[in-house]
Structures are given as C-alpha cells and as structure tokens.
Amino acid sequence: VPLSAFPVDANSVSSVIVRKSGAMMGPIHIVRNPDKTYTALSLVCTHKACIVRPVGTGFECPCHGSEFSSEGAVLSPPAKDPLVRYAVSLVGEQLRIQL
C-alpha cells in the first residue's frame, strides 16, 4: 500500500480500506497512528465471516451484532475471538502487510 494512500496531514489518525486483488479474503483496515505506526486489521468477523463496518471508534458486525474495539478486541459477543491483526512493515514509501 503506498503511503500516498493516506491523507497528507501525517500528524493525524487516518485510515484506508484495501483488498488484495485476486485473493479470497476480506478487506483490510489500515490505520496510520499519530506516532507514525500502522495497524492492519481484517474486517472479517470471527463469528460467521460477515464483513464488519467501522462504527464510532470501533467496528460492528451487521449480521449478528458483534462489536470490536479499534484494536480488534471483542467488546460484545457473539464473536469470541478478536479480529485478525496483520504485521505491517514500512519499505521505502510502501507499507507491506504480512498475510
């Protein structure tokens, strides 16, 4: 993911949602934090594999109502497991997400 995908103001929190082309996986939510670190979470609910949506400061599953924190932790069942978190590394002007 090119760093240019994020808004210009590098001191603010910003995010993008990406999909790996040709992959049989759901979207990935990538956040640039104010300290210039990045967090990548799968947007696939760990309960029944529905796609969660950003709501407030976290995520909500439209299928069964599970709620997750901005870090992917389960806040409200029926999901029992957190959203999958991917390792992110910076290579030049690109973010690499380890799937």
Side-chain angles (χ1 to χ4, degrees), residues 14-77:
S14 62
S15 66
V16 295
I17 296 175
V18 298
R19 291 183 185 268
K20 182 169 174 21
S21 63
M24 296 298 293
M25 62 186 311
I28 298 170
H29 185 255
I30 306 168
V31 174
R32 181 187 62 209
N33 302 300
D35 63 359
K36 298 186 176 124
T37 60
Y38 295 85
T39 305
L41 295 173
S42 169
L43 292 182
V44 177
C45 183
T46 55
H47 175 239
K48 295 283 185 179
C50 292
I51 303 301
V52 300
R53 59 183 176 222
V55 175
T57 60
F59 303 94
E60 177 183 72
C61 180
C63 296
H64 301 103
S66 294
E67 295 179 5
F68 301 88
S69 73
S70 62
E71 296 292 317
V74 176
L75 299 176
S76 179

